[in-house]
Amino acid sequence: MSAAESGTTCPQCGRPMPAAAVECPACGSPRVPFAASRQAVVLFSLALLVALFLFTGFITRVFLRHESDLGQEWFDRGEAELAAGRPAEAQEALRTALVYSKDNRAYELKLVEALAAAGRDDEARAYLRGLRDAQPAYSPVNLELARLEARRGNSAEAIRDYQAAIYGVWDANGEQRRRQTRLELIEYLTSLNRRSEALAEILSFAANLPPDPALHLRVAQLLFDQKNYQQALAEFQETLRLRPHDPQALAGIGQTLFATGKYSQAQGSLEQAHRADPKDAAVERLLEVSRDVVSMDPYASGLSAKARVLRLQHDFELATNRLAFCVSVAPAPQNALLAGLEHQAASLQPKLKQRDLLRDMDLFDSAAALALDAEARAAALCGPGSNEDQALVLLAQQRPGAAR
């Protein structure tokens, strides 16, 4: 077949070209155009560059992964040294970890912990302040600064740093970490006896809590410790709503009612708490005292006149026995005061016949007041006494104008 028949022509002059010819016999132009050959070169070059880029990226990733692995290895070694009580060795390992993993905040904070464990508080403080200057709102750094300042006795700085940690930025689990930090601040404020500030933080903690019974129980206990009994009771009840029959919530309700003088109601909740957890010795003891208070109160509602008199006679006898014991052991200055009460009780004792107490309410009230006053004074000078003695002291505190 001829060149014309094969349809192969020169791209430059258009004349027929032999099939095997590289150049046109007429004008000498190459069979493949220059533009096409340049495009092929460009495409080849691009492919080569992409291959080189991918290879370089792969090598870089391998190198960085190797550095990261080395950093983690040294970090783990530092943690182990710190846990073993070797802070100096821990510092060396952690500094090496930071060589392989620069600006790793977890490694930096662990190094600060090692410095503090070694007693190098000034260095730890300077390091933390440098980290905070770089990221002022980073909460883990502010938290560590707060702890350090608290150990150094710098309460104003510690409280400020705790607040910064609470309202700052966390890497993960921000809400949970904020709650934990606020609880730590509450404990710190309580240790400083700054109760009003602690209460303000507790109320902030309680605001918008999720339906988590453990969190509501914690708030209830904190409020109880602050003697904010009304809100404590509400939180204990919310815990019980979220987790029915919870022994701690039942005990908390009983303790709160007991603290507010509602002994009959307290007895019911404490009995439930005791059934839920029979091994709780504190609940068992409080239950015994609440039962004594309820059964010994001569002014309890629903009692017959005879039952009131029998209770009063029992209470008066108990108080006079307590006075006699306390007079025998109290130091001389206090002994005189107790002896005066003992003399009054001895003078009143013959008059406390059932028929006289039933007829004379003033005599009844005088005898009850003397018995309760005697128990209160004896407790102040000679200790709490028996459960029944403690029950009368609690009844004495319920009298109008009595100190609680």
Side-chain angles (χ1 to χ4, degrees):
M1 184 179 351
S2 67
E5 292 173 342
S6 67
T8 303
T9 59
C10 175
Q12 189 68 22
C13 64
R15 296 184 181 182
M17 289 182 62
V22 176
E23 296 180 348
C24 175
C27 67
S29 297
R31 177 184 291 273
V32 179
F34 175 74
S37 63
R38 183 172 61 181
Q39 184 179 18
V41 170
V42 168
L43 290 174
F44 176 76
S45 300
L46 286 174
L48 182 61
L49 285 172
V50 169
L52 288 172
F53 176 78
L54 293 174
F55 179 74
T56 303
F58 171 75
I59 294 298
T60 302
R61 286 194 298 274
V62 169
F63 177 75
L64 292 176
R65 191 179 301 116
H66 179 63
E67 279 204 326
S68 177
D69 290 344
L70 285 173
Q72 185 65 51
E73 182 180 335
W74 281 102
F75 176 76
D76 292 342
R77 188 178 303 180
E79 275 197 313
E81 296 287 2
L82 191 57
R86 295 187 289 269
E89 291 81 354
Q91 290 171 53
E92 292 182 15
L94 292 166
R95 291 186 192 279
T96 304
L98 283 166
V99 170
Y100 291 110
S101 188
K102 294 180 178 63
D103 301 324
N104 187 308
R105 289 177 294 194
Y107 294 5
E108 288 172 327
L109 290 173
K110 187 59 69 172
L111 175 58
V112 168
E113 187 179 338
L115 290 168
R120 298 167 66 175
D121 283 358
D122 289 337
E123 189 175 346
R125 189 186 192 199
Y127 199 100
L128 283 170
R129 287 188 167 182
L131 293 175
R132 186 171 64 183
D133 288 343
Q135 287 185 295
Y138 187 53
S139 291
V141 169
N142 284 307
L143 177 57
E144 290 302 324
L145 264 172
R147 291 168 174 169
L148 185 59
E149 297 293 4
R151 286 197 300 271
R152 292 164 64 92
N154 300 328
S155 59
E157 292 84 350
I159 293 168
R160 180 199 63 206
D161 293 334
Y162 272 122
Q163 294 284 3
I166 290 168
Y167 295 107
V169 178
W170 297 91
D171 290 326
N173 302 318
E175 285 305 312
Q176 181 181 352
R177 297 294 303 276
R178 285 188 183 89
R179 291 191 189 104
Q180 291 170 345
T181 304
R182 196 183 292 278
L183 285 173
E184 194 171 320
L185 173 57
I186 291 166
E187 291 176 2
Y188 180 61
L189 289 168
T190 302
S191 72
L192 298 175
N193 203 31
R194 298 170 70 159
R195 304 185 71 85
S196 60
E197 294 173 70
L199 179 58
E201 291 297 335
I202 294 168
L203 295 176
S204 293
F205 181 85
N208 301 316
L209 277 181
D212 183 338
L215 289 175
H216 283 279
L217 180 63
R218 184 73 177 109
V219 169
Q221 291 166 336
L222 289 169
L223 289 167
F224 180 87
D225 292 342
Q226 295 291 329
K227 303 187 187 307
N228 194 314
Y229 296 127
Q230 183 177 355
Q231 288 177 290
L233 182 61
E235 289 294 338
F236 279 127
Q237 290 170 335
E238 178 64 12
T239 303
L240 201 61
R241 187 187 70 79
L242 294 168
R243 191 161 58 198
H245 313 299
D246 182 274
Q248 289 179 288
L250 288 167
I253 291 171
Q255 290 164 347
T256 305
L257 292 169
F258 188 97
T260 54
K262 298 174 182 176
Y263 301 110
S264 180
Q265 296 177 52
Q267 180 182 339
S269 293
L270 290 168
E271 285 173 345
Q272 292 181 62
H274 184 57
R275 286 194 295 271
D277 184 7
K279 295 181 180 179
D280 192 327
V283 167
E284 184 176 13
R285 182 192 167 283
L286 207 60
L287 175 58
E288 290 173 357
V289 175
S290 66
R291 284 171 175 165
D292 287 335
V293 173
V294 171
S295 66
M296 294 173 69
D297 184 2
Y299 294 102
S301 61
L303 289 177
S304 67
K306 185 177 180 179
R308 290 182 192 280
V309 168
L310 290 173
R311 283 194 181 189
L312 174 61
Q313 289 173 326
H314 173 267
D315 295 350
F316 195 89
E317 182 182 1
L318 185 72
T320 53
N321 290 337
R322 177 72 170 146
L323 267 179
F325 168 78
C326 200
V327 166
S328 69
V329 298
Q334 291 84 12
N335 189 288
L337 176 61
L338 293 174
L341 285 171
E342 189 177 29
H343 177 72
Q344 292 178 48
S347 300
L348 195 58
Q349 178 71 53
K351 302 176 184 179
L352 302 184
K353 300 291 189 288
Q354 187 177 103
R355 64 177 180 276
D356 296 326
L357 289 168
L358 286 171
R359 289 198 303 259
D360 190 345
M361 196 61 195
D362 288 338
L363 177 62
F364 185 99
D365 291 340
S366 296
L370 181 58
L372 296 178
D373 190 36
E375 283 285 1
R377 292 180 183 274
L381 296 175
C382 303
S386 68
N387 281 353
E388 285 192 324
D389 290 317
Q390 292 174 53
L392 289 181
V393 172
L394 291 169
L395 288 172
Q397 291 173 353
Q398 286 193 310
R399 290 180 299 168
R404 291 188 62 96

